[in-house]
Amino acid sequence: DQQVKQNSPSLSVQEGRISILNCDYTNSMFDYFLWYKKYPAEGPTFLISISSIKDKNEDGRFTVFLNKSAKHLSLHIVPSQPGDSAVYFCACNAGGTSYGKLTFGQGTILTVHP
Amino acid sequence: EPEVTQTPSHQVTQMGQEVILRCVPISNHLYFYWYRQILGQKVEFLVSFYNNEISEKSEIFDDQFSVERPDGSNFTLKIRSTKLEDSAMYFCASSESGYPGYTFGSGTRLTVV
């Protein structure tokens, strides 16, 4: 299942700098997009989401950008902190009868160095 | 903060045995989900459950799998006859409204030997 792809398996960033995580999708039925963060031995934790009617959504240090024509979304974390080190998953939802079903990317391991 | 609780955290079972994974969703939530993650692979949707019935299931969720909400608090996933390839981390999730930003539990690691 290659509907959602995160092409960077890992990203290393210095504390205080910007982290940019990317995600591409192929299914044009997706209309709601989310980012989850996962620490070892824990379940995914919801971070931020965006509807297809928007191109940007901010929540504190986290901003998600959506480019529908390119079928691309990104998560910006500014400034990055060591506690942000985790695996980040993008997830997509098709709405309608797939109201709850999420299709996940394979994840990007973010490491923020002090 | 309310949590989704999953038990046990790790279960080892013999191939062919039945296994039941248990979840206690957040108390006012109405939508329930199971996902799994095989080691090194993506988190995959298994099933969604609302109003005491399955609302959607994936191709993975075949006749060997079933879900149940036996009382007002528990949500279970049963695998009737486990196979080696069922070894994975199984995540339960719940949502108040069906809105996809739902809450996941910490998972049950199932090892089939």
Side-chain angles (χ1 to χ4, degrees):
Chain A
D1 179 3
Q2 296 296 309
Q3 293 187 75
V4 182
K5 290 178 76 171
Q6 293 175 254
N7 289 316
S8 299
S10 62
L11 175 67
S12 184
V13 167
Q14 206 67 30
E15 181 179 7
R17 307 294 292 267
I18 185 171
S19 297
I20 300 176
L21 298 109
N22 294 300
C23 178
D24 297 293
Y25 63 95
T26 57
N27 188 342
S28 56
M29 298 300 291
F30 290 147
D31 61 2
Y32 199 76
F33 307 89
L34 306 92
W35 286 93
Y36 281 83
K37 177 170 77 172
K38 186 181 180 304
Y39 295 116
E42 294 184 13
T45 301
F46 170 68
L47 206 53
I48 192 169
S49 61
I50 188 167
S51 160
S52 59
I53 62 173
K54 294 181 147 188
D55 54 20
K56 177 181 172 181
N57 188 28
E58 279 183 83
D59 184 1
R61 296 187 297 114
F62 302 92
T63 303
V64 56
F65 294 92
L66 175 64
N67 183 333
K68 278 185 63 179
S69 59
K71 293 191 174 68
H72 177 85
L73 62 151
S74 62
L75 175 68
H76 293 209
I77 306 173
V78 184
S80 302
Q81 299 172 354
D84 296 329
S85 298
V87 181
Y88 287 79
F89 294 98
C90 69
C92 305
N93 173 259
T97 56
S98 294
Y99 203 56
K101 175 183 174 183
L102 293 176
T103 303
F104 281 84
Q106 57 268 63
T108 297
I109 301 170
L110 174 65
T111 304
V112 180
H113 299 282
Chain B
E1 189 170 325
E3 289 185 341
V4 174
T5 306
Q6 289 188 244
T7 55
S9 56
H10 189 192
Q11 180 149 2
V12 181
T13 189
Q14 291 213 321
M15 191 168 54
Q17 294 295 304
E18 175 183 286
V19 67
I20 297 175
L21 308 182
R22 302 182 191 281
C23 170
V24 179
I26 294 172
S27 61
N28 63 334
H29 285 190
L30 301 175
Y31 297 79
F32 313 109
Y33 311 87
W34 284 101
Y35 284 76
R36 77 173 186 190
Q37 186 179 27
I38 295 171
L39 190 63
Q41 297 188 23
K42 293 183 178 185
V43 177
E44 302 173 289
F45 171 80
L46 292 178
V47 66
S48 59
F49 190 86
Y50 170 71
N51 201 25
N52 277 321
E53 60 182 27
I54 291 173
S55 41
E56 187 173 4
K57 60 183 180 179
S58 71
E59 293 173 355
I60 303 166
F61 195 89
D62 62 21
D63 292 345
Q64 292 299 309
F65 291 87
S66 63
V67 289
E68 193 178 29
R69 187 152 162 82
D71 53 41
S73 59
N74 290 283
F75 180 52
T76 61
L77 174 70
K78 182 194 289 185
I79 309 174
R80 269 180 256 288
S81 177
T82 49
K83 305 176 208 152
L84 294 175
E85 54 264 37
D86 294 326
S87 295
M89 183 73 93
Y90 287 80
F91 294 107
C92 173
S94 71
S95 166
E96 185 176 3
S97 62
Y99 211 47
Y102 36 74
T103 304
F104 282 85
S106 296
T108 293
R109 179 168 298 286
L110 176 65
T111 303
V112 183
V113 297

